[in-house]
Amino acid sequence: MAPLVHAAQATGIATLALDSPGNRNALSADLVAELRTALATAAADPAVRAVVLTHTGNTFCAGADLKSPCDPADFLALLREIAELPKPVVARVTGHVRAGGLGLLGVCDIAAAGPRSSYAFTETHLGLAPAVISMPLLPRLDPRAAARYFLTAEAFDAAEAARIGLLTLHGEDVEAALEPVLAGLRKASPQGLAATKALTSAAVREALTRDGSRLTELSAGLFASDEAREGITARFERREPSWSL
């Protein structure tokens, strides 16, 4: 089977590209496992100063693979590994981000996006909740905006994502926007980066440790519920779920 995550390295930056466009880079068990392996490899490489997480196709990540979902505990482990990686992780987004993909985006230390990117927490429309992903997101997001978008599943653009704290920066040319960011990371010392990331990610790491078990159990319970079964079935059948008014 072709790899779902491609790794490349240039001048201190390891680029990991999610490459499963057939399911919009959804969080399947295989993709999550490959990404965890690629992150561990980058972490162990002394030549790598920072990691860029990006994607092929028009979607950064569509969230859980509803046909072949990863275990919530494995997704939690992935989030922890990104938060605890002693090197900064920079998200580069040029497409859509949905549901669990927003947790992957939110746990990154820096996030940059292009003008055609869009975002939506779609869980409530499937009978679910943004449970596990709330841990890296709530410490970073404006509380009022988080309540609105978590509850309503409205889509929003890159400018709004930056305003509420989901993105660090956005621009017409995401590569140009990232140039000074990556230049700064290349000039920083490994020790300085590791110690500073530990400071800036402390609230996220604390939330993942404190609430991880409880929220993975909540997520698993919701996925197994009758309402979620109806919501997911309705999505596949391209119809409104029974509760929709």
Side-chain angles (χ1 to χ4, degrees):
M1 187 175 70
L4 303 178
V5 177
H6 292 278
Q9 184 180 326
T11 322
I13 306 298
T15 298
L16 307 182
L18 307 182
D19 187 21
S20 183
N23 68 352
R24 301 188 303 152
N25 292 320
L27 296 164
S28 65
D30 289 339
L31 185 143
V32 168
E34 288 190 29
L35 182 53
R36 292 178 68 188
T37 297
L39 285 164
T41 299
D45 187 344
V48 172
R49 196 62 51 84
V51 175
V52 170
L53 180 61
T54 189
H55 61 101
T56 63
N58 65 4
T59 301
F60 174 75
C61 180
D65 185 335
L66 299 178
K67 294 182 178 179
S68 178
C70 69
D71 188 308
D74 291 335
F75 183 47
L76 173 63
L78 170 62
L79 296 179
R80 280 178 168 161
E81 286 157 9
I82 294 174
E84 295 170 1
L85 203 77
K87 303 174 183 187
V89 180
V90 179
R92 175 193 171 277
V93 178
T94 60
H96 309 301
V97 195
R98 297 291 185 266
L102 287 155
L104 192 58
L105 177 64
V107 80
C108 292
D109 302 288
I110 298 169
R116 288 178 294 279
S117 61
S118 71
Y119 311 83
F121 297 93
T122 54
E123 287 89 347
T124 59
H125 288 194
L126 295 174
L128 303 169
V132 174
I133 67 171
S134 71
M135 291 179 282
L137 288 167
L138 289 179
R140 301 197 193 278
L141 297 182
D142 172 81
R144 285 295 195 184
R148 173 183 176 177
Y149 292 119
F150 277 22
L151 289 166
T152 67
E154 296 169 82
F156 52 97
D157 63 12
E160 178 69 352
R163 186 191 73 80
I164 68 175
L166 180 63
L167 293 177
T168 311
L169 67 161
H170 68 100
E172 287 297 318
D173 184 340
V174 70
E175 300 293 352
L178 277 174
E179 281 181 9
V181 172
L182 298 182
L185 295 176
R186 288 187 179 104
K187 290 179 181 295
S189 83
Q191 173 180 277
L193 288 175
T196 302
K197 173 169 176 169
L199 296 173
T200 59
S201 66
V204 170
R205 290 183 289 106
E206 180 182 351
L208 289 165
T209 299
R210 181 187 64 236
D211 300 325
S213 295
R214 176 177 63 85
L215 291 180
T216 53
E217 289 175 9
L218 172 61
S219 179
L222 290 170
F223 265 100
S225 69
D226 290 341
E227 280 194 22
R229 195 171 299 112
E230 164 62 10
I232 293 168
T233 300
R235 177 64 56 87
F236 284 131
E237 294 178 352
R238 298 183 182 276
R239 61 173 174 82
E240 294 293 329
S242 60
W243 63 74
S244 182
L245 301 176

